[in-house]
Amino acid sequence: SGTFDGGNNCFVLMNTFVEACINLPAVSVCDTLRTELTRQGFVEGVKQFVLKGIPSSPPPWSAALMSKSTSSRCNESEEEKKEILEKNWKLFYEREGIQTAFKILLGLCTDHSPTQLEISKDTSGKINFLTACHWIESTSDNISADITTNGVGIWAETLLDSLNCDDRLKLQIEELRKTTRSRKKEIADARRSKALVGMSAFGPLAGSLFETSKKIEGNELRQMSAESMNDVIPVNESRDGSAGSLNMNVRLTSPEGGKDKDLSKSSATKDTSSTSAKKLANNSIKPSWLLEMEAMEDEAGLTCAVCQEGQTFQPKELLGIYAYMKKVSIPQSMGGFRGSIDGTLLLLSLPNQLPESLSESTYLNDKWYIPARSAAASIRMTTHGSTTLTSANSSSAPSSNRPSHFIVTVTAGNAIHCSCHAKARSADKNHPKAPKSEWEGAALRNSRVSCNVILPIVSSKNSKVPILAMENSLAEHRACVSNILGFRPKSMLWTVLHDIRLLMLRISYQESLNADCGGGSLSSNTALIFYSLFMADMFRRDAEHDAPDTVQHAVELSSGFLAASNILDAPDHKVDNAHARRLHAAFAEAAPMASITCILFYNSKSDDRSVDGKGLKVKEDVTHPHENKRWSINRESFLCGLLQLAGRRHALGIHKSGCESSKISGFTSQMQSGLLDDWGMSKDEAAASSLLGIVTRRKSMTEDHVKKTMNNY
């Protein structure tokens, strides 16, 4: 209760209420407010505000909303009505508060069936609210009449899409949209027919025959007499020097009215012999080239920026994606410790034996713990493994500013055949007037977005591509990576996996993905993740013979992660020593890479791959699910690790991916010491008690998940 001096407090309260309605979350507590607002008539009032002043006919410049009879009439009175209707719609769109009204309705009806039904009620008697919303969503700006919709259409479309709690309501909206789509198709067909008449090789007279033949029904043709059918009189025979043409009138007499119909036809031949009208009617009106084009299969998926063909018409040509790749250097203190993020430290930190409470779990021991320990034994003998252990045991490792070098890739999603790119590169180089470098010309084909590499799309779908072409493209990609890094990477498999991880981090931090190359959207870069996964799988197959230890590390990383998850959740796991704290930190750091490798190697789409080494199908049961289902069964465990990584990065003051274009700045030195203690980043002995509290809270949060997981095995 307060005084409203000068109306300022009223404005503040009203604005607060409006913002609350717009951003009202879809929870049961807020549903009570939604129900009360509906009962008090607030929703109906907002509806009437939207419908106030709206014309009773759709916008005349949106032809798809007009009926066929209305759009075909064109006289002075209709033109005057059209001008008046345009003025009324212009006044409607110029009203203030329409967008806010749609936002309020959208916020109130989200996942709330009573409010949605109230919005769909027809109470005005003048025009249905759903019909009005459909008119608004289907209308764009009318530049010629200086009418601007001010972005109201997108809000009307979003509101209609959100009305999904009732099947009858969804059907009603779909019927409205279906009618408009059908009308659009009719208009498109009419324009197509008109264009085909102009494209005909026989000139405008053939178009006349085409238009007239559509008016002649089959019943009329059968009723025509033989005499009138053969009444073909050649007239106006003329020829010019450029192309021969012969004009003739075909007179068809209808027995019903006795009226003659003159049909003009153009022929490229010199044969003036008479032909029956019946034969002309039965022949195909469409030219052969049009029939051939209509019989062609539509191209699906990505198409080449040069030849506009993809895997449908050129299945033996390898497609690639224009991309921009750059080198980034991330200090170890900012999440760049390679040994932690690739799971090496996690595998090396696994205990020598499982806790006693987990010793009876044969599935955990055989499928996760033993393979992970085997991979750790192989890693321990490598230079990377020994370096990781030395850095982890060093007291200065957590605050080390020594950088690790990675590559990050972004794309605008434009594809090109590798062969087409080679031809275009040669043409750009040898251009007589304006020669261009390889990537200057590529940027023009890439919608003027900078690029410096072609990412080959290698998967099972392009099995018809020659192996040599695929290997050459991968070799060129490897050379580009080496040039950008300044050195040859030891493993292309891990280089691509780190690239995927950093791209996901950039997306999660909502960083601008087009800042580097001047283009590229979230959707195109999300698709890039899948293309990179396909390429990582190819590099994994190549490394199985040359570097089996590297492949074993990548394949068994998810095994070690799941084993560590169960070990950390075990009731008899000791958390008051340095080894336990290191395992806890390594578990969080390896979560993104473990998730990526699990999706890549243990995420089969069907059960057909559930076979053993001899090709025999493995018999599964509830207690022994097949390993190809590892990701779908254990996604909660990976989510738990990702959440812990978010907390760890926040504790370390890391609030970005480290891939931004500007110089990487140091993290804030003033941070809560308790958070560092929780992650074992301090030598203080009091860290053990703080860590014990976090592990206890983690156990309580994931107790139900652990029970379900252990019951499955």
Side-chain angles (χ1 to χ4, degrees):
S1 61
T3 58
F4 306 118
D5 299 332
N8 291 333
N9 289 339
C10 287
F11 175 78
V12 171
L13 290 175
M14 181 182 66
N15 187 57
T16 303
F17 173 73
V18 170
E19 291 297 326
C21 292
I22 294 174
N23 301 286
L24 201 63
V27 294
S28 58
V29 177
C30 298
D31 288 345
T32 305
L33 176 59
R34 290 186 171 95
T35 304
E36 185 62 23
L37 290 176
T38 302
R39 191 178 66 85
Q40 295 292 337
F42 177 75
V43 174
E44 179 64 25
V46 177
K47 279 177 51 181
Q48 295 303 323
F49 174 80
V50 173
L51 294 175
K52 182 180 179 182
I54 190 170
S56 58
S57 299
W61 64 91
S62 296
L65 297 175
M66 309 294 291
S67 63
K68 189 174 182 180
S69 58
T70 304
S71 59
S72 61
R73 293 195 300 264
C74 184
N75 48 50
E76 294 183 0
S77 61
E78 292 296 331
E79 288 295 329
E80 293 178 358
K81 292 180 181 179
K82 180 180 178 181
E83 292 179 0
I84 296 174
L85 192 57
E86 286 181 348
K87 291 180 181 179
N88 292 337
W89 275 106
K90 183 177 182 180
L91 293 175
F92 173 79
Y93 281 117
E94 289 177 350
R95 289 178 52 205
E96 295 183 358
I98 298 181
Q99 278 196 20
T100 305
F102 275 112
K103 291 179 182 179
I104 292 175
L105 293 176
L106 182 61
L108 293 178
C109 75
T110 302
D111 295 335
H112 192 243
S113 181
T115 305
Q116 295 185 11
L117 294 176
E118 180 66 24
I119 291 176
S120 64
K121 285 183 180 179
D122 186 10
T123 56
S124 63
K126 180 181 179 182
I127 181 175
N128 184 272
F129 183 75
L130 297 181
T131 304
C133 290
H134 177 62
W135 288 354
I136 296 173
E137 73 165 346
S138 304
T139 304
S140 58
D141 297 343
N142 187 1
I143 301 177
S144 60
D146 194 22
I147 300 177
T148 305
T149 61
N150 298 318
V152 179
I154 188 65
W155 290 108
E157 180 183 0
T158 307
L159 178 62
L160 291 179
D161 291 339
S162 65
L163 302 178
N164 53 11
C165 288
D166 185 74
D167 293 337
R168 290 179 297 178
L169 182 56
K170 289 194 294 185
L171 182 61
Q172 184 179 356
I173 296 173
E174 181 60 28
E175 286 295 329
L176 287 173
R177 291 174 169 174
K178 184 177 179 181
T179 303
T180 303
R181 286 196 299 267
S182 301
R183 179 63 183 141
K184 286 182 178 179
K185 186 177 180 181
E186 291 179 3
I187 297 174
D189 290 341
R191 291 176 179 174
R192 174 176 173 271
S193 300
K194 185 177 180 180
L196 289 176
V197 170
M199 293 170 59
S200 175
F202 299 106
L205 295 179
S208 155
L209 174 64
F210 176 74
E211 293 296 331
T212 309
S213 63
K214 291 196 301 181
K215 301 177 183 178
I216 302 177
E217 301 293 339
N219 293 333
E220 294 179 1
L221 289 174
R222 286 192 293 267
Q223 294 173 2
M224 290 179 181
S225 62
E227 294 80 4
S228 61
M229 295 287 284
N230 293 324
D231 188 10
V232 181
I233 306 175
V235 296
N236 296 334
E237 182 176 346
S238 63
R239 234 178 242 103
D240 54 32
S242 59
S245 64
L246 182 62
N247 297 333
M248 62 175 61
N249 285 344
V250 182
R251 178 170 299 171
L252 303 180
T253 305
S254 173
E256 295 178 340
K259 296 181 180 179
D260 294 341
K261 298 182 180 180
D262 292 337
L263 304 180
S264 298
K265 179 186 177 183
S266 171
S267 174
T269 65
K270 299 179 181 180
D271 185 10
T272 59
S273 60
S274 299
T275 55
S276 64
K278 184 176 182 180
K279 183 176 180 181
L280 290 173
N282 290 335
N283 287 338
S284 176
I285 300 301
K286 299 178 181 178
S288 59
W289 61 267
L290 179 59
L291 295 175
E292 184 178 354
M293 288 185 63
E294 291 182 346
M296 294 175 64
E297 185 179 358
D298 292 335
E299 186 66 70
L302 294 173
T303 57
C304 176
V306 174
C307 66
Q308 301 299 320
E309 293 180 345
Q311 293 179 351
T312 301
F313 296 119
Q314 296 290 343
K316 295 183 179 180
E317 292 290 338
L318 180 62
L319 270 174
I321 294 288
Y322 276 133
Y324 182 83
M325 183 184 296
K326 72 173 184 177
K327 176 183 177 181
V328 295
S329 300
I330 305 177
Q332 294 184 3
S333 58
M334 298 292 292
F337 185 28
R338 191 182 292 269
S340 293
I341 60 181
D342 66 4
T344 301
L345 186 59
L346 172 66
L347 294 175
L348 296 177
S349 300
L350 291 175
N352 295 328
Q353 59 182 6
L354 290 172
E356 186 177 354
S357 60
L358 302 177
S359 59
E360 297 181 358
S361 177
T362 57
Y363 189 88
L364 169 62
N365 184 69
D366 297 340
K367 297 296 185 180
W368 295 345
Y369 180 72
I370 292 179
R373 289 286 296 172
S374 176
S378 300
I379 295 173
R380 198 181 299 272
M381 300 175 62
T382 63
T383 305
H384 178 57
S386 59
T387 304
T388 300
L389 277 179
T390 303
S391 301
N393 294 327
S394 176
S395 59
S396 61
S399 59
S400 174
N401 287 323
R402 181 180 179 181
S404 298
H405 306 293
F406 306 92
I407 60 165
V408 290
T409 309
V410 291
T411 182
N414 295 314
I416 189 171
H417 287 126
C418 295
S419 58
C420 292
H421 174 77
K423 296 176 183 178
R425 175 180 57 193
S426 177
D428 291 337
K429 182 179 179 180
N430 300 321
H431 196 280
K433 294 184 179 180
K436 294 182 285 292
S437 65
E438 175 183 2
W439 300 113
E440 286 178 347
L444 297 178
R445 295 184 291 274
N446 193 31
S447 304
R448 299 188 180 274
V449 178
S450 300
C451 55
N452 57 3
V453 69
I454 293 180
L455 190 78
I457 302 176
V458 287
S459 67
S460 58
K461 291 186 178 181
N462 53 8
S463 58
K464 296 183 179 180
V465 177
I467 298 178
L468 182 60
M470 198 174 299
E471 290 180 350
N472 290 338
S473 64
L474 291 176
E476 291 180 2
H477 182 266
R478 186 184 294 108
C480 290
V481 172
S482 301
N483 292 334
I484 293 172
L485 283 176
F487 58 88
R488 185 175 181 178
K490 296 180 180 180
S491 172
M492 281 301 299
L493 171 61
W494 281 109
T495 301
V496 175
L497 290 177
H498 283 301
D499 188 7
I500 297 172
R501 176 185 177 274
L502 289 174
L503 178 56
M504 289 182 171
L505 273 180
R506 298 184 72 179
I507 294 175
S508 64
Y509 280 110
Q510 299 182 358
E511 296 177 356
S512 177
L513 300 177
N514 57 10
D516 299 329
C517 58
S521 62
L522 178 60
S523 59
S524 63
N525 285 282
T526 304
L528 177 64
I529 295 176
F530 294 97
Y531 303 142
S532 299
L533 286 173
F534 288 139
M535 188 166 61
D537 188 54
M538 290 296 296
F539 284 126
R540 187 264 301 177
R541 296 179 184 181
D542 292 341
E544 283 180 346
H545 303 287
D546 301 333
D549 294 341
T550 301
V551 176
Q552 185 184 19
H553 177 192
V555 172
E556 300 301 340
L557 175 57
S558 59
S559 302
F561 181 87
L562 293 174
S565 176
N566 285 271
I567 291 172
L568 292 173
D569 288 331
D572 52 346
H573 173 63
K574 297 180 180 180
V575 297
D576 55 351
N577 55 62
H579 188 275
R581 291 195 293 270
R582 189 176 71 185
L583 177 62
H584 187 212
F587 173 80
E589 290 284 359
M593 192 63 73
S595 303
I596 294 172
T597 55
C598 188
I599 292 172
L600 182 58
F601 303 122
Y602 296 103
N603 188 30
S604 175
K605 185 171 67 171
S606 64
D607 294 340
D608 295 337
R609 290 176 56 188
S610 302
V611 296
D612 57 11
K614 299 180 181 180
L616 300 176
K617 192 166 183 179
V618 177
K619 190 175 182 180
E620 308 185 48
D621 54 29
V622 179
T623 58
H624 295 85
H626 195 269
E627 280 299 282
N628 286 336
K629 299 179 181 179
R630 176 182 294 182
W631 169 253
S632 60
I633 294 176
N634 300 284
R635 284 178 294 186
E636 293 84 356
S637 297
F638 290 99
L639 176 60
C640 182
L642 293 172
L643 292 175
Q644 292 191 52
L645 174 64
R648 175 174 171 80
R649 292 177 70 90
H650 179 74
L652 294 173
I654 305 174
H655 304 297
K656 49 190 175 182
S657 66
C659 303
E660 65 278 358
S661 300
S662 60
K663 186 177 180 181
I664 300 176
S665 59
F667 63 94
T668 307
S669 59
Q670 297 179 352
M671 58 179 62
Q672 299 179 1
S673 60
L675 291 174
L676 290 177
D677 293 341
D678 291 343
W679 290 107
M681 303 302 290
S682 174
K683 295 181 180 180
D684 193 353
E685 294 297 330
S689 60
S690 178
L691 179 61
L692 180 61
I694 282 199
V695 174
T696 303
R697 291 193 297 272
R698 179 179 182 272
K699 289 179 180 179
S700 62
M701 291 166 56
T702 60
E703 184 178 2
D704 294 338
H705 160 62
V706 173
K707 288 181 179 179
K708 293 178 181 178
T709 305
M710 296 305 296
N711 289 336
N712 289 335
Y713 303 138

